Amino acid sequence: MVGREYGRVYAWDRVNAPMIRHWCEIMGINNPLYTDAAFARDQGYADVVAPPGMLQVWCMGGLDQESFPEGSSTENNFEVLKVIEPYGYPAVVAVNSDLYFDRQIVAGERLYFTSKLDSVSEEKTTPLGTGFFVTVLMSYFVQAENDGVDEPIGRQLFRVFKFKPAQRPQAQNTEKKAEAKSVKRPLPGVSDDTRFFWEGCEAGKLLIQRCQDCKTLRHPPGPVCSKCHSFAWDTVESTGKGQIYSFVVMHYPEVPPFEYPNPIGLIELDEGVRLIAGLIGVDKDELAIGQRVQVEFQRFDDQQTLPQFRPVTE
C-alpha cells in the first residue's frame, strides 16, 4: 500500500478573514498582516494573509471528521491502520505533524489537498508499546480561477504510531521507588534576565518584569520590551491571583521525581501575563478553564523554590 495516492479533499470555504481573526485571538497572535486588509495590501498582498500554521485548518472536515464538501474523495488516507489492527495492534497515537510552506495563503483563495501513503516502518518497540509508524504526506494546492493551473502552496507530513500497548507494572518495587525518590528536580537555567524571578521565588514573591518606559508587563522575562523595544526594566510583585487559561494532565511517560498524574496549568495572572506552573490540591477530573487559583511557593530538594497554584473559591 505504500505509495498509494488518494484523491482531492476540498475546503468547505475560501480562506477568509473571520476564521483568521478567530485563530489569531485563540493563539494570542497580534500581527496586522493577518487582520488589517489595508496593511496587507501595503505589503503587496490582495487581502489579509492567513497565518502559515492554519494550512491544515482550511481543509478539515469539522466536528464530524467525515464531513467534506461535494466532490471530495471518500477514501481514507489512513486505511492501512485498519489493515494492521486485526493483527493485535489496537491503539493509535499521533507522533508528529510537520508543515512546509511554499508561499503565503491569502484570503479569497480556495484550497484542497491530495494524499499519499508515504511509509510504514518495520515493527518498532517503544515505551508505549510495539507497533508501526505510519506516515502520510498531504500536498496542498490553491484552486486556479478561470481554468488556470492549480498552484502548490504547502505540504504536511503526518505520522502516527499504530501499536500494541506495553504491559505496565501495577506497582514499582521498593528498589525502584527508592531510586526515583533520589532523583532531584532539574534546576532552571538562570541568566541576568531571569535571576530576579528565581530570587523572588526564594523570598516568597512572584515578581513580574515591567518595562520602565511604557510600563508593559512581560513574562517570560527578556532583555527588551516587545512593545517599545526599550532595554530599561524593573519588576512589580504580583498578587499571585489568577485563573487557569489552559491546562494539561501528564500521565505518561512517568519521569522521576515527578508524581503522576501531573497537572500543569497555563495561569493567567490578574495582572495580565501568563506563566506555566504546577497545579496542587486539584482533582484532575474537576479542572476547568477559568478556575480561580492562588500561588503557593514550595521548596524542592532543598535546592529550589517553585511557584505552584492551588484552586480557590471566589
Side-chain angles (χ1 to χ4, degrees):
M1 298 177 71
V2 173
R4 179 174 294 181
E5 296 184 354
Y6 299 84
R8 296 183 178 186
V9 173
Y10 292 99
W12 273 105
D13 303 287
R14 293 180 182 272
V15 177
N16 61 86
M19 288 304 298
I20 294 173
R21 185 180 70 254
H22 295 325
W23 169 279
C24 290
E25 289 177 355
I26 290 295
M27 295 299 180
I29 297 173
N30 183 20
N31 186 335
L33 188 63
Y34 304 150
T35 56
D36 187 332
F39 180 87
R41 284 192 287 269
D42 288 342
Q43 310 308 310
Y45 297 99
D47 205 333
V48 292
V49 167
M54 290 187 74
L55 176 63
Q56 180 187 9
V57 172
W58 303 108
C59 295
M60 282 182 165
L63 292 177
D64 180 353
Q65 295 299 313
E66 304 304 319
S67 175
F68 295 104
E70 183 179 354
S72 296
S73 171
T74 58
E75 300 172 302
N76 179 2
N77 55 5
F78 276 100
E79 63 176 336
V80 69
L81 301 184
K82 296 186 180 297
V83 176
I84 297 172
E85 186 165 323
Y87 291 89
Y89 303 89
V92 64
V93 62
V95 178
N96 62 290
S97 174
D98 300 337
L99 297 176
Y100 304 87
F101 315 107
D102 294 329
R103 68 159 174 84
Q104 300 277 22
I105 303 171
V106 181
E109 295 180 319
R110 186 181 292 274
L111 309 187
Y112 69 86
F113 71 84
T114 61
S115 305
K116 180 179 73 171
L117 178 59
D118 189 66
S119 66
V120 178
S121 74
E122 298 295 325
E123 188 179 63
K124 305 285 186 179
T125 298
T126 76
L128 281 179
T130 299
F132 305 88
F133 289 95
V134 177
T135 304
V136 168
L137 182 64
M138 281 87 85
S139 298
Y140 289 82
F141 299 84
V142 170
Q143 286 184 259
E145 303 288 347
N146 302 320
D147 299 323
V149 178
D150 296 346
E151 181 182 0
I153 44 87
R155 297 167 305 287
Q156 180 183 16
L157 182 151
F158 198 89
R159 181 175 293 122
V160 302
F161 184 45
K162 186 66 172 169
F163 65 101
K164 180 188 306 180
Q167 296 298 316
R168 297 171 58 191
Q170 295 300 313
Q172 294 177 312
N173 58 38
T174 304
E175 182 178 342
K176 286 186 176 180
K177 287 183 177 180
E179 180 182 349
K181 287 184 177 180
S182 68
V183 177
K184 294 185 177 181
R185 288 186 175 228
L187 291 172
V190 179
S191 68
D192 290 340
D193 299 318
T194 63
R195 185 171 289 105
F196 79 89
F197 180 82
W198 301 112
E199 290 177 349
C201 291
E202 293 294 333
K205 298 179 180 180
L206 188 60
L207 300 180
I208 306 173
Q209 194 176 43
R210 178 178 63 180
C211 174
Q212 285 185 325
D213 290 327
C214 70
K215 307 305 179 184
T216 297
L217 301 180
R218 62 182 186 261
H219 189 86
V224 63
C225 176
S226 61
K227 187 174 182 179
C228 74
H229 301 162
S230 171
F231 283 86
W233 60 269
D234 58 9
T235 63
V236 295
E237 183 177 354
S238 168
T239 63
K241 297 178 180 180
Q243 63 180 357
I244 297 177
Y245 185 84
S246 184
F247 67 89
V248 64
V249 180
M250 298 292 297
H251 292 272
Y252 191 80
E254 296 184 358
V255 179
F258 303 99
E259 296 181 356
Y260 293 84
N262 183 15
I264 307 294
L266 176 59
I267 310 301
E268 185 169 71
L269 297 174
D270 287 348
E271 290 80 8
V273 298
R274 300 172 190 157
L275 77 161
I276 296 172
L279 297 171
I280 56 177
V282 300
D283 183 334
K284 64 181 179 62
D285 295 323
E286 296 180 359
L287 283 171
I289 303 298
Q291 194 169 12
R292 294 291 296 175
V293 289
Q294 172 71 52
V295 72
E296 291 186 11
F297 293 93
Q298 187 170 349
R299 186 75 173 168
F300 292 95
D301 306 323
D302 197 32
Q303 64 175 352
Q304 63 176 320
T305 300
L306 298 177
Q308 299 191 310
F309 286 82
R310 182 185 298 273
V312 294
T313 56
E314 289 291 352

